[in-house]
Amino acid sequence: MSDPSSRRRLLRGVIAAAAASALPGFSFAQGGSQVLRLGYIGPGKKPAAATGWALRQQHLQRELAPLGFKEVTTRNFPNGPDLNEAFLSGALDVGIYGDTPAIVARSRGLEGQLIGFDAIGMNVWLLTPRNGARSVKELEGQSIGVARGSYMHRYVLGLLKEHGLQKSVKVIHMFPRDGEAALDQGSIAAFAAQIDVGPLLASRGYPVIDEAEKHPALRGTSVIVASSKLLAAAPGLPAAWTRARRTALQEIRRNSADYYAFHSEVSGFPIEIVKISHPLSHFPEAAYPPEGLALLDEVKKFLLAENLVSRDFALAQWRAPQA
């Protein structure tokens, strides 16, 4: 993964987004007639986590109404680079996605500001075929599948560097939906799976040889980023979003059974798998929790050190005011 062509693949989505960034973006309409377009990552038919519950319970819609929004429409994407392309071409107003593609986009000068976190400390599961490698060292000379440009991708790069395998293990792009088939066929030596997919594959008998939980700095976060044009027109949006999430989290913690039933329904994963993947401790109430900011800083340092991005930026300047 250290060769230039692999790095170009990691950045391809945001480079394309840069070319599209001149397209018309957000146009704010007064009188409560504006539709807010929200993009998110995953197979679910609706967003989950605290923002998803806030949408379901209408908390977010009520907070946004005084800012002139009549509704929120949602669209899901298979990975972060794809969301970047849509978001930064003007097709989205807010994106909820992994820290790695968001930081890559920001480092390349693409507009948008951080308005909060939807989850922090997300795990990654590194799985192998049932009769495959039993340790990370045994992956030498073989291949790992992972969705390029994702927080799982950064975990894989960091893990290989820790073990001195970055030059001897091939990292190939693979969507989560294709991971099980590749493991079953033995066409890859390992697959790095995100929340939900990882524990589901483990429950089906695929061995887990490593997890991001064992490497705290390689855990992921899910960030909420809003377009700069949107924030210029509606500066009260970050605080409104935080209030809606906080109200949703209070309900989730009072009645987690209802929340997990909802999350299972919209994601399509069994409740027990959802509980393993999304402990309530991963949902922060604060807009900018110290743990989340520390993880973002680790992501940025890693990407800069590996020459996967070339321009540094201050996280404090990326954060939108929560006035």
Side-chain angles (χ1 to χ4, degrees):
M1 186 60 204
S2 59
D3 63 284
S5 63
S6 295
R7 289 174 179 159
R8 284 196 295 271
R9 285 195 294 273
L10 175 64
L11 300 175
R12 186 180 65 184
V14 292
I15 291 171
S21 62
L23 295 177
F26 176 82
S27 177
F28 189 72
Q30 298 295 331
S33 62
Q34 181 63 41
V35 175
L36 187 142
R37 303 159 299 171
L38 170 64
Y40 65 99
I41 304 299
K45 53 191 176 183
K46 295 179 182 177
T51 293
W53 187 257
L55 278 168
R56 180 188 187 274
Q57 300 295 87
Q58 298 287 309
H59 301 314
L60 186 57
Q61 293 89 326
R62 283 193 290 272
E63 288 286 355
L64 295 179
L67 302 179
F69 296 96
K70 68 173 182 179
E71 65 176 298
V72 178
T73 61
T74 61
R75 176 183 171 191
N76 67 334
F77 293 85
N79 61 11
D82 287 345
L83 187 148
N84 268 335
E85 290 186 28
F87 177 46
L88 294 159
S89 69
L92 296 175
D93 303 310
V94 178
I96 300 178
Y97 59 134
D99 46 30
T100 300
I103 285 180
V104 169
R106 178 67 181 188
S107 178
R108 294 198 61 84
L110 303 177
E111 291 189 0
Q113 285 189 273
L114 180 72
I115 66 170
F117 292 76
D118 226 27
I120 57 175
M122 298 188 301
N123 199 10
V124 183
W125 289 259
L126 188 64
L127 304 112
T128 61
R130 293 183 177 91
N131 296 312
R134 290 297 179 266
S135 70
V136 176
K137 282 291 186 183
E138 290 181 29
L139 297 176
E140 186 170 6
Q142 303 192 71
S143 59
I144 295 177
V146 65
R148 73 170 167 83
S150 64
Y151 84 94
M152 302 87 73
H153 192 178
R154 183 182 68 90
Y155 156 76
V156 167
L157 299 182
L159 179 70
L160 294 178
K161 185 176 182 180
E162 283 185 16
H163 288 269
L165 297 173
Q166 62 267 49
K167 294 183 179 180
S168 60
V169 174
K170 184 178 181 180
V171 180
I172 60 175
H173 172 55
M174 183 170 290
F175 285 123
R177 62 175 179 264
D178 301 321
E180 183 171 13
L183 289 173
D184 194 51
Q185 295 163 11
S187 59
I188 55 174
F191 178 67
Q194 79 273 37
I195 47 179
D196 298 318
V197 175
L200 181 65
L201 294 180
S203 74
R204 293 175 176 171
Y206 296 97
V208 178
I209 62 170
D210 196 75
E211 299 180 46
E213 289 285 356
K214 298 178 181 179
H215 317 269
L218 297 180
R219 295 172 300 154
T221 64
S222 176
V223 296
I224 310 170
V225 178
S227 86
S228 297
K229 291 181 180 179
L230 168 67
L231 294 175
L237 185 133
W241 207 287
T242 297
R243 289 193 300 269
R245 286 190 68 263
R246 186 174 293 127
T247 301
L249 281 167
Q250 291 168 355
E251 293 181 355
I252 287 171
R253 288 170 180 150
R254 282 197 302 267
N255 191 345
S256 61
D258 279 359
Y259 169 73
Y260 280 125
F262 155 77
H263 195 138
S264 176
E265 176 191 353
V266 300
S267 70
F269 288 94
I271 286 181
E272 290 310 311
I273 297 299
V274 172
K275 287 181 178 180
I276 293 170
S277 297
H278 305 273
L280 300 187
S281 60
H282 285 190
F283 300 159
E285 281 196 22
Y288 304 123
E291 183 182 3
L293 292 173
L295 285 171
L296 281 188
D297 195 47
E298 290 292 337
V299 174
K300 186 163 63 73
K301 287 177 182 176
F302 177 85
L303 294 173
L304 286 164
E306 294 299 304
N307 295 316
L308 294 169
V309 297
S310 58
R311 188 175 70 87
D312 197 1
F313 63 91
L315 290 177
Q317 294 178 352
W318 191 29
R319 289 156 41 183
Q322 288 274 328

